[in-house]
Amino acid sequence: MSIMRAAYASRFDADDPLAALTVGERPEPTRPDPDWVMVEVRTSSLNHHDLWSLRGVGLAADRLPMILGCDAAGVDPDGNEVVVFPVVPDPADPRGLSLLSEHHPGTLAERVAVPRANLVPKPAGMSFVEAACLPTAWLTAYRMLTTRGRVAEGESVLVQGAGGGVATAAVVLAVALGKRVYATSRDPGKRERIAALGATAVAPGARLPERVDVVIETVGAATFDHSLKSAAPGARIVVSGATAGHEPTVNLRRVFAMQLEILGTTMGTATELAELLDLCVTREVRPVVDSVHGFSEVTGAFARLYSGEVFGKVVLDHTS
């Protein structure tokens, strides 16, 4: 049995998730089906999903130890440079799917096993570091704007809580799609960086110059009332996270009077990931990278993500 280095959840710690992180040797993943292939991971990126796993949310104790990570770019058995689509069909899961690191070993390792259909060609002009940012946060943002938010039908977008991976991606993509973009952040420094990306940066709860057609909501209870008040008639409020509370108070009179749509979404499809990669190439869009860490510095990379100070994606370079 081949052994590889990996970062994995060895236990759960709801109060201090970093204490549940272990970096060490693990067996190479097995291929549960002949159609699965092994990918040599060149780069990966971290998500809050990894921190939730370390807390024991969405990951059962009987699956420990579990290699973490959803995002990766690497090389397939035929030598092709690929981006890994991290969603696996899973009839046993209520969602009908699972993400890598939930039921199957994740990407924070030297190698990862995935269905061959989950391999998306990496554009030649895109670096491995950039490609590793896209499969979770950027794909989620792309689907929120396009498939769910139908941004083509509107001209203006509000992104709540920019700074994190999904929200920052939504700002960049909405600007690339030619929309008027407003984005909130509590941090004045982050608001400056948001403005540099082409959005109008505002403080949380601030009155906007106009009501918007699409709201990108990843914060939850702390911002949801502002999202409702900022929505134009017929607007779509698209929700993919709730980092600051999952049970907001919702003014239903505003929902029906303004004919608002509140839409949930998770991740995206392999086809949407290919579309996102094409958009990044044709519009010369590149992911916002907070920092790049060698795999030997994975503990520090997790600490960076956990600090809440990130702006963009935290990436691991598995070649160093």
Side-chain angles (χ1 to χ4, degrees):
M1 178 181 294
S2 297
I3 300 296
M4 62 182 188
R5 61 176 181 169
Y8 57 94
S10 54
R11 61 186 179 90
F12 299 137
D13 193 319
D15 298 319
D16 183 10
L18 299 187
L21 174 68
T22 300
V23 182
E25 294 186 339
R26 292 295 303 154
E28 182 177 273
T30 58
R31 297 184 301 149
D33 185 274
D35 194 46
W36 285 51
V37 297
M38 201 73 69
V39 174
E40 294 283 340
V41 179
R42 295 284 178 84
T43 52
S44 61
S45 69
L46 305 186
N47 294 283
H48 281 280
H49 182 276
D50 302 312
L51 294 175
W52 287 115
S53 295
L54 291 167
R55 291 185 172 101
V57 178
L59 180 61
D62 61 4
R63 299 193 198 113
L64 295 177
M66 174 60 78
I67 297 174
L68 299 168
C70 299
D71 292 344
V75 179
D76 73 7
D78 300 318
N80 301 306
E81 296 182 350
V82 295
V83 182
V84 174
F85 175 61
V87 180
V88 180
D90 194 336
D93 191 287
R95 300 167 295 176
L97 57 86
S98 64
L99 307 184
L100 294 176
S101 78
E102 292 179 348
H103 292 273
H104 302 282
T107 59
L108 303 190
E110 294 180 60
R111 293 174 289 283
V112 63
V114 295
R116 186 176 291 276
N118 285 46
L119 303 183
V120 179
K122 181 183 78 65
M126 181 177 290
S127 72
F128 278 106
V129 166
E130 293 165 340
C133 298
L134 300 177
T136 296
W138 280 68
L139 175 59
T140 297
Y142 177 77
R143 180 177 173 84
M144 291 177 82
L145 287 166
T146 58
T147 308
R148 300 295 275 163
R150 308 193 304 279
V151 74
E153 299 175 15
E155 295 299 326
S156 54
V157 177
L158 168 63
V159 180
Q160 297 284 19
V166 174
T168 304
V171 169
V172 175
L173 291 171
V175 169
L177 291 169
K179 307 304 174 181
R180 294 187 299 276
V181 183
Y182 306 92
T184 67
S185 176
R186 293 176 297 176
D187 185 326
K190 288 184 178 179
R191 289 201 292 272
E192 288 185 12
R193 298 184 71 176
I194 290 165
L197 296 175
T200 299
V202 298
R207 186 182 182 91
L208 304 183
E210 61 179 318
R211 288 194 169 119
V212 299
D213 304 301
V214 179
V215 180
I216 300 300
E217 178 61 82
T218 63
V219 180
T223 57
F224 207 80
D225 186 60
H226 182 244
S227 294
L228 289 169
K229 291 177 178 177
S230 302
R236 284 78 64 197
I237 300 173
V238 190
V239 184
S240 71
T243 56
H246 64 280
E247 294 183 339
T249 299
V250 178
N251 183 339
L252 291 178
R253 287 181 293 188
R254 183 176 291 274
V255 173
F256 66 72
M258 299 289 282
Q259 300 189 67
L260 304 179
E261 297 179 47
I262 299 174
L263 304 163
T265 191
T266 298
M267 297 295 291
T269 66
T271 298
E272 287 167 334
L273 178 56
E275 291 172 357
L276 170 61
L277 290 166
D278 183 63
L279 175 68
C280 287
V281 171
T282 57
R283 302 289 178 97
E284 298 185 343
V285 172
R286 290 297 182 267
V288 178
V289 177
D290 174 88
S291 52
V292 180
H293 307 253
F295 195 83
S296 59
E297 304 164 348
V298 65
T299 302
F302 267 87
R304 174 66 182 170
L305 178 65
Y306 187 56
S307 72
E309 298 174 359
V310 298
F311 191 89
K313 294 291 293 179
V314 177
V315 180
L316 294 174
D317 181 352
H318 291 232
T319 64
S320 63

